[in-house]
Amino acid sequence: MSPATIFQIHLVLGYIPWLLCLGAYAWPRLKAMDRVEAQRAIATLHSFRFFGLVFIIPGVVGPNLPTGFAVFAAYGDFATGLLAMLALLTVRIRSVFWPFVVAFNLVGTADIIIDYYHGTQVGLPTLAGELGATYAIPIVYVPALMITHVVAFYLLARRQTQAARHLASGAAAVDGISGSSFDLNKENSGRVEGWSNAH
């Protein structure tokens, strides 16, 4: 089996244990958590992405690791890690916290997708050995990152859906109260007219 084939198998299989772990342990807890605490937990995992700068350290990665892949991967991870840290630091200021949550998830997801694209373009599977000590990052760490980005977006979308439902139910309640008031006024008006005619 060639190194390129092994690398590709690793890339695919890296998602399976994390998905199993998510289904059995993480997802039930994240669903039950307060929405801020759930996003905080995800941001904590992504805050370690500053480590991605290791892709541009000579001696850790091989000299033939394509620069186009290494530089973008390094700074994309670094930016995501900083944004995740800012989300954690501003958790008590909700008007700032939520934009940072959205930002680190957007930047982080784009980083991973573009890294996969760059890796394909430069033939990274055939150069997998050039990843050196960083080989574990795309195989073990990246699947967890991508999965938690998807979870974060789902939780954000669910929050928006719930907010829309609350607004809709509030509007329906107001309409119901208005309708009841109208009916009461109509009924009282009829009584007043009846009393006037009787007298």
Side-chain angles (χ1 to χ4, degrees), residues 1 6 15 25 29 75 98 117 122 125 129 138 143-144 152 161 163 167 186 189 191 198:
M1 196 178 291
I6 293 171
Y15 279 85
Y25 304 107
R29 293 191 180 190
Y75 287 106
W98 288 113
Y117 174 76
V122 301
T161 303
L167 285 174
K186 187 175 181 182
S189 172
R191 286 178 181 170

Side-chain angles (χ1 to χ4, degrees), residues 50-63 65 70 74 130-131 133-134:
F50 68 86
F51 184 71
L53 286 175
V54 73
F55 281 115
I56 54 175
I57 299 180
V60 177
V61 295
L65 183 67
E130 295 296 320
L131 287 165
T134 69

Side-chain angles (χ1 to χ4, degrees), residues 120-181:
T120 302
Q121 293 298 304
V122 301
L124 188 62
T126 59
L127 299 168
E130 295 296 320
L131 287 165
T134 69
Y135 185 92
I137 293 177
I139 306 304
V140 179
Y141 193 33
V142 168
L145 299 176
M146 193 63 179
I147 290 167
T148 51
H149 277 314
V150 172
V151 170
F153 284 128
Y154 174 80
L155 294 174
L156 285 168
R158 190 176 71 167
R159 174 175 171 262
Q160 295 301 321
T161 303
Q162 287 173 342
R165 283 179 185 162
H166 286 307
L167 285 174
S169 62
V174 169
D175 286 342
I177 291 169
S178 299
S180 299
S181 300

Side-chain angles (χ1 to χ4, degrees), residues 42 45 56 80 109 113 135 156 173 179 187 194 196:
I42 293 170
L45 173 66
I56 54 175
T80 304
T109 302
I113 292 170
Y135 185 92
L156 285 168
E187 185 181 337
S196 298

